[in-house]
Amino acid sequence: MEKNYSLLALDLDGTLLTDDKRITRKTKKKLKHAMNLGIHVVFATGRGIQTGGKFWRELGHKGSMVFVNGAEVWKGPDEVLSRHFIPQGDIKRLHQLASDADAKFWGYTVDNLISCEKWTDKMFQKEWLKFGIRCQDPIALKDIWNTIDKWGTLEITQSAPTNLEISSKGVTKESGIHEVCQLLEIDMEAVMAIGDSLNDLSLLNASGLGVAMGNAVDIIKEAADVITDTNQNEGVAKAIDRYLITK
């Protein structure tokens, strides 16, 4: 706990954001304090820039960001560092799998968040950063997971118990933050990461300090070095105060 952390990697939903999708005034104040001290604050979110970028702008942040579980990494607001696309053949297989299971699905391209209701055959020609499948039946969802896993070409994780989030193999929040660390010449041991869901697991494990939210799923709490308060009780602000901003 005595280490000095120079990068704060933050999940958004269930972590930085309250349940009504806000960053509280106190949390903003703590984030800006950290940034003023020279600490790099980096979102590491399953959201794309289409829905996550507004929080970047809200903070007046000019630094790097990791979107769509590491599939898109931005050096700054106007410069993409990297993009990692799902093979088009796998998009066809994922679409078929979701359709056969009568499951909801969605995905992020570079330009759009596209839901199943807006899907057309033209979508198969697009470059996809992430594909999501939602299913309320846990047995059916597990079967879908196992089928995808057997293909060996894709990374599978979850941001909620009823969904699967799929990226190209090896693409995770951890890989995205690792790219940012290489850019900034920071070791992963100098990273403090905060999250609440399965898609945060590898990042928390790889970071110098892994912090689980009080509302995190059990596997995250078990893997984390420490546990902070919930997203409703400004757990991020409290973690920054306790572990990042030294008195």
Side-chain angles (χ1 to χ4, degrees):
M1 305 301 174
E2 299 302 320
K3 296 177 184 176
N4 291 319
Y5 303 103
S6 52
L7 190 149
L8 174 61
L10 280 176
D11 172 50
L12 288 179
D13 297 280
T15 299
L16 180 62
L17 305 181
T18 58
D19 290 348
D20 57 355
K21 310 305 179 188
R22 292 182 302 106
I23 306 173
T24 69
R25 183 179 300 177
K26 178 181 178 181
T27 302
K28 285 181 188 176
K29 183 178 179 181
K30 296 297 179 184
L31 289 171
K32 289 179 179 179
H33 186 180
M35 288 188 282
N36 287 339
L37 292 174
I39 294 166
H40 300 277
V41 175
V42 182
F43 294 164
T45 176
R47 289 178 181 239
I49 193 170
Q50 297 88 344
T51 61
K54 61 183 178 181
F55 301 109
W56 201 7
R57 295 187 292 272
E58 186 177 329
L59 292 174
H61 193 2
K62 303 298 183 184
S64 301
M65 289 289 153
V66 175
F67 291 108
V68 279
N69 290 336
E72 187 170 77
V73 181
W74 287 71
K75 184 176 180 179
D78 302 312
E79 185 177 355
V80 174
L81 182 64
S82 67
R83 288 185 174 125
H84 307 276
F85 296 108
I86 298 172
Q88 285 189 336
D90 283 333
I91 289 295
K92 292 180 179 178
R93 293 201 288 179
L94 289 168
H95 176 265
Q96 188 66 54
L97 199 58
S99 299
D100 289 347
D102 197 26
K104 296 284 186 181
F105 60 90
W106 73 98
Y108 278 99
T109 65
V110 170
D111 299 316
N112 296 301
L113 167 60
I114 298 173
S115 65
C116 53
E117 290 83 6
K118 296 180 180 178
W119 194 275
T120 68
D121 286 344
K122 291 181 180 179
M123 303 303 174
F124 293 117
Q125 307 307 316
K126 292 183 177 292
E127 293 181 307
W128 292 89
L129 295 161
K130 187 177 89 167
F131 193 92
I133 298 174
R134 181 176 295 109
C135 181
Q136 299 296 329
D137 182 344
I139 296 175
L141 194 69
K142 186 63 177 175
D143 286 343
I144 294 171
W145 181 310
N146 290 337
T147 297
I148 298 168
D149 192 45
K150 288 175 184 175
W151 299 346
T153 56
L154 299 171
E155 198 74 34
I156 316 161
T157 189
Q158 291 180 298
S159 60
T162 57
N163 78 16
L164 301 181
E165 297 191 341
I166 300 133
S167 307
S168 184
K169 193 71 174 178
V171 174
T172 63
K173 291 185 180 184
E174 177 195 350
S175 69
I177 290 295
H178 185 69
E179 288 185 48
V180 173
C181 283
Q182 287 184 315
L183 175 71
L184 299 174
E185 298 182 341
I186 294 172
D187 192 89
M188 287 293 289
E189 279 296 311
V191 175
M192 173 174 145
I194 312 179
D196 73 307
S197 295
L198 187 61
N199 62 354
D200 300 305
L201 181 60
S202 66
L203 175 57
L204 265 62
N205 282 333
S207 298
L209 184 68
V211 183
M213 297 298 293
N215 52 286
V217 296
D218 288 345
I219 192 171
I220 294 296
K221 288 182 177 178
E222 291 163 5
D225 298 302
V226 294
I227 300 173
T228 187
D229 211 331
T230 67
N231 65 317
Q232 288 294 89
N233 290 323
E234 298 180 318
V236 167
K238 291 174 182 177
I240 290 172
D241 244 354
R242 184 167 183 181
Y243 306 113
L244 198 61
I245 299 174
T246 54
K247 300 292 189 292

